[in-house]
Amino acid sequence: MRVLVIGAGALGGYYGACLVRAGRDVTFLVRGTRAEQLRRDGLKVVSPHGDFTVQPKIILAHDLEEAFDVVLVGVKAYSLDEAMSQFAPAVGAGTTILPILNGLRHLDALIARFGAARVLGGLANVSAGLDPDGRVVHFMANQTIVFGEIEGALSERALALETLFDVPGIDVRASEAITQDMWEKFVQLSTIAGITCLMRASIGDILAVPNGEQSIFRLFAECCAVATASGYEPRAPFIEFDHKLFTTLDSPLKASMLRDIERGSMTECEHILGDMANRARTLGIETPLLDLARAHVAAYEVGRRRAAS
């Protein structure tokens, strides 16, 4: 399969680099400055599993003319509209679009633009970011990618993608219940982003203060209530996993949203915290801690835009 990876940031850069290292046919759609950096330095990954560098095939948007078999979309939610316009020429009759963005709202945009038949549900569980030198830094050992048909059931294309992504550095799973999986990830991410941004601290540091653990689980309960009312009650293994995740002493875990705040960048606040809060309002569910976290990050965005202007 010919794979087009949209961008070479944390998500696309990590998974795309692992695919290239394994000999898969991968091309990265990037901007001019990133293209120059990749041509000069290669795509570098710093990982607990071992550092490596690949020499990627790259293409700019104005040169994109041919259809690809798979389009892997891992951009930030606020860049999705621009990205869709850029990769549209790569979407043919047989193209599968695999988004691994955070949250859920992006599925509607992709389906509206390209049609439901072309879009899979997907998620990535990986803690990674770009450092100032453009290297993909893999912060923790998790490296999972999960995908499947939005309506459920295993399909031939999902199984084919499972084979494609079955390479060193990636834990891959084709799912028969990807919407449930995505809702659980949405709950987890909203909890981590909400509490670490609100406290401006890692999970480990929050656990070290009075009422820190209780605050984490109050927010977790709010988000679980929204998922349950939406028809996707979190399953027992997920609850057990997140309980361990949220009680690991000295954990360095913090949301990528907080990392964005720390470097003064735009965040996915409305796509994650805002969307969860809006769904809660529609369902009549009270989410005071989630609302406070959303307001906190939204206020940061107001100040960031003012400073930029």
Side-chain angles (χ1 to χ4, degrees):
M1 294 184 182
R2 298 179 65 235
V3 180
L4 181 68
V5 177
I6 309 306
L11 289 181
Y14 179 75
Y15 290 111
C18 289
L19 291 173
V20 172
R21 181 177 58 173
R24 303 298 197 248
D25 187 353
V26 177
T27 302
F28 293 83
L29 176 64
V30 294
R31 301 178 187 274
T33 52
R34 184 61 165 152
E36 293 174 5
Q37 187 178 52
L38 293 174
R39 289 191 184 104
R40 182 182 66 246
D41 303 328
L43 178 52
K44 298 182 177 181
V45 176
V46 179
S47 171
H49 302 293
D51 303 348
F52 65 96
T53 301
V54 298
Q55 296 300 323
K57 291 193 294 184
I58 55 178
I59 192 168
L60 303 179
H62 60 75
D63 295 322
L64 192 59
E65 298 176 349
E66 297 180 350
F68 283 71
D69 299 305
V70 181
V71 177
L72 180 66
V73 186
V75 299
K76 293 287 190 179
Y78 49 74
S79 299
L80 181 60
D81 287 343
E82 180 185 14
M84 288 192 296
S85 296
Q86 291 179 340
F87 72 71
V91 179
T95 300
T96 296
I97 300 171
L98 173 54
I100 51 173
L101 284 74
N102 291 322
L104 293 168
R105 201 167 61 177
H106 58 277
L107 289 178
D108 292 336
L110 287 164
I111 289 171
R113 179 69 181 266
F114 300 108
R118 292 192 177 94
V119 181
L120 291 179
L123 63 90
N125 280 317
V126 61
S127 180
L130 288 186
D131 72 6
D133 296 322
R135 302 181 304 173
V136 176
V137 180
H138 189 195
F139 298 114
M140 301 175 70
N142 56 320
Q143 54 196 21
T144 304
I145 187 169
V146 184
F147 44 77
E149 302 292 342
I150 295 172
E151 299 303 322
L154 288 178
S155 63
E156 289 186 7
R157 66 173 174 174
L159 293 173
L161 283 178
E162 187 176 52
T163 300
L164 175 74
F165 280 89
D166 186 14
V167 301
I170 300 178
D171 297 326
V172 60
R173 177 170 62 87
S175 173
E176 297 181 84
I178 190 60
T179 305
Q180 177 75 39
D181 295 327
M182 292 180 69
W183 260 102
E184 289 174 352
K185 171 71 184 297
F186 190 23
V187 166
Q188 181 188 82
L189 180 61
S190 296
T191 302
I192 296 173
I195 202 66
T196 62
C197 288
L198 188 60
M199 302 294 286
R200 298 290 179 96
S202 68
I203 291 295
D205 289 346
I206 295 168
L207 289 172
V209 303
N211 295 312
E213 181 177 328
Q214 294 91 326
S215 297
I216 295 172
F217 282 100
R218 286 192 193 105
L219 180 52
F220 185 56
E222 291 178 6
C223 296
C224 285
V226 178
T228 299
S230 300
Y232 297 96
E233 181 178 1
R235 295 164 293 189
F238 167 78
I239 298 293
E240 181 180 352
F241 178 87
D242 272 24
H243 187 275
K244 181 177 180 181
L245 185 70
F246 297 150
T247 55
T248 301
L249 299 179
D250 299 321
S251 170
L253 179 63
K254 58 176 68 172
S256 59
M257 192 179 297
L258 176 55
R259 297 186 193 279
D260 290 335
I261 290 174
E262 290 173 339
R263 62 172 177 264
S265 300
M266 185 183 297
T267 73
E268 294 181 303
C269 176
E270 285 308 298
H271 186 72
I272 305 300
L273 303 179
D275 189 32
M276 182 68 82
N278 290 340
R279 292 172 190 265
R281 296 291 80 73
T282 300
L283 294 164
I285 297 172
E286 293 296 322
T287 53
L289 202 52
L290 174 65
D291 294 343
L292 182 60
R294 177 195 191 180
H296 178 83
V297 182
Y300 155 80
E301 290 284 8
V302 170
R304 186 190 62 80
R305 289 193 294 270
R306 181 185 299 113
S309 64

